[in-house]
Amino acid sequence: METPKCRICGKTEWVGVYDPEHLERAICVECCPKATHWDEESGHQFYYESGEGQMCQYCGIRRNDTDYDYYDGDENE
């Protein structure tokens, strides 16, 4: 199967994951963080994938490969 085009920019280069039954939802890793998705969520939405770690359910990028802020405590700790 051919990689579908990103629904925002139209490129196929960074479209890593997509639902074959809903190709119109495909989005690339560059557009995903600033987009509103089909389910009204915005930006990356991470879930745990066994063997892969935290991955975005829309574009497939690993959380470690993003600018996500992992810090959730007091900087003086």
Side-chain angles (χ1 to χ4, degrees), residues 5 10-11 23-24 27 35 37 39-40 63 68 71 76:
K5 294 180 179 180
K11 296 178 184 176
L23 297 178
E24 71 281 0
I27 192 162
H37 302 288
D39 59 358
E40 302 302 318
R63 190 167 83 168
Y68 184 80
Y71 186 74
N76 296 320

Side-chain angles (χ1 to χ4, degrees), residues 27-63:
I27 192 162
C28 72
V29 299
E30 293 178 341
C31 292
C32 187
K34 46 193 181 262
T36 300
H37 302 288
W38 60 270
D39 59 358
E40 302 302 318
E41 292 288 341
S42 58
H44 294 304
Q45 299 294 316
F46 297 103
Y47 71 100
Y48 181 77
E49 176 73 30
S50 181
E52 294 291 333
Q54 296 285 329
M55 297 186 72
C56 177
Q57 66 181 347
Y58 302 113
C59 70
I61 195 169
R62 289 184 299 199
R63 190 167 83 168

Side-chain angles (χ1 to χ4, degrees), residues 63-74:
R63 190 167 83 168
N64 291 348
D65 296 333
T66 67
D67 293 333
Y68 184 80
D69 182 7
Y70 299 97
Y71 186 74
D72 63 356
D74 182 359

